[in-house]
Amino acid sequence: MAKKTSKSTAAHSSINIGISDKDRAATAEGLSKLLADTYTLYLTTHNFHWNVTGPMFNTLHQMFMVQYTELWNAVDPIAERIRSLGHVAPGSYAQFAKLSSLKDAPATPPKALEMVRILVEGHEGVARTARALFPIADQASDEPTADLLTQRLTVHEQTAWMLRSLLEE
Ligand SMILES: [Fe+2]
């Protein structure tokens, strides 16, 4: 006889941290989008580190390395916050492609300043995804998620400014 197994939702409903099931689900969904955006921007930035050419090579190659390293380190706390809320963290290219608001890097490497422009758009896009989740976390008194979002917003807005500055004459 097969042993009686609990439903997959049982683990979720046993979580009692003072945030409703509905709010945990909505927050996990928003964090999954943030994870997909962050991962996509990480990969695009690493791609540009590899493929950048031109007179700004050294500056951009180094700058992109600092940026992709920061993004790589950021995906783990986002995924683990989803797990702390009782949900499954997405972690496949198929899921990320479905969830991300950012386009994949172009197959043919663009010129250096076009790379910078694409990264500005990327950081702005991730900032919008993080900001859209803020009211949900805030009304649920989900301070750890709100704190994580605040940290990510600070980085993306600052990085977008630094990249944007390279495009100005
Ligand atoms: Fe490298």
Side-chain angles (χ1 to χ4, degrees):
M1 286 285 112
K3 244 173 103 182
K4 196 181 168 197
T5 52
S6 56
K7 284 184 189 168
S8 62
T9 52
H12 298 178
S13 59
S14 67
I15 293 175
N16 183 14
I17 56 172
I19 304 174
S20 71
D21 289 359
K22 190 168 155 280
D23 284 340
R24 281 190 295 103
T27 306
E29 194 188 324
L31 285 170
S32 296
K33 290 179 186 166
L34 181 62
L35 179 60
D37 275 12
T38 306
Y39 202 100
T40 303
L41 187 57
Y42 150 73
L43 188 57
T44 298
T45 307
H46 209 151
N47 175 329
F48 291 172
H49 165 80
W50 296 324
N51 292 308
V52 68
T53 56
M56 291 175 79
F57 173 83
N58 220 19
T59 307
L60 293 182
H61 182 69
Q62 293 299 322
M63 188 191 216
F64 294 162
M65 182 171 71
V66 171
Q67 292 172 358
Y68 80 65
T69 303
E70 196 286 329
L71 292 162
W72 180 251
N73 287 326
V75 294
D76 201 54
I78 299 169
E80 293 186 356
R81 185 64 198 150
I82 296 170
R83 297 295 298 131
S84 299
L85 291 167
H87 287 267
V88 173
S92 71
Y93 288 115
Q95 284 174 302
F96 286 157
K98 220 184 266 181
L99 289 164
S100 179
S101 73
L102 273 57
K103 276 189 256 169
D104 257 352
T108 306
K111 298 263 188 225
L113 285 182
E114 177 62 7
M115 287 181 173
V116 172
R117 199 193 57 74
I118 290 169
L119 294 179
V120 170
E121 269 182 13
H123 282 278
E124 289 180 347
V126 187
R128 289 193 300 275
T129 299
R131 184 159 276 114
L133 177 56
F134 206 89
I136 299 166
D138 195 39
Q139 63 84 28
S141 301
D142 183 347
E143 300 298 343
T145 297
D147 182 52
L148 181 60
L149 294 173
T150 304
Q151 289 178 49
R152 296 315 304 154
L153 281 165
T154 304
V155 170
H156 290 297
E157 290 174 7
Q158 186 183 40
T159 310
W161 153 59
M162 289 177 170
L163 289 163
R164 213 182 284 121
S165 298
L166 285 166
L167 300 174
E168 284 167 18
E169 295 294 316

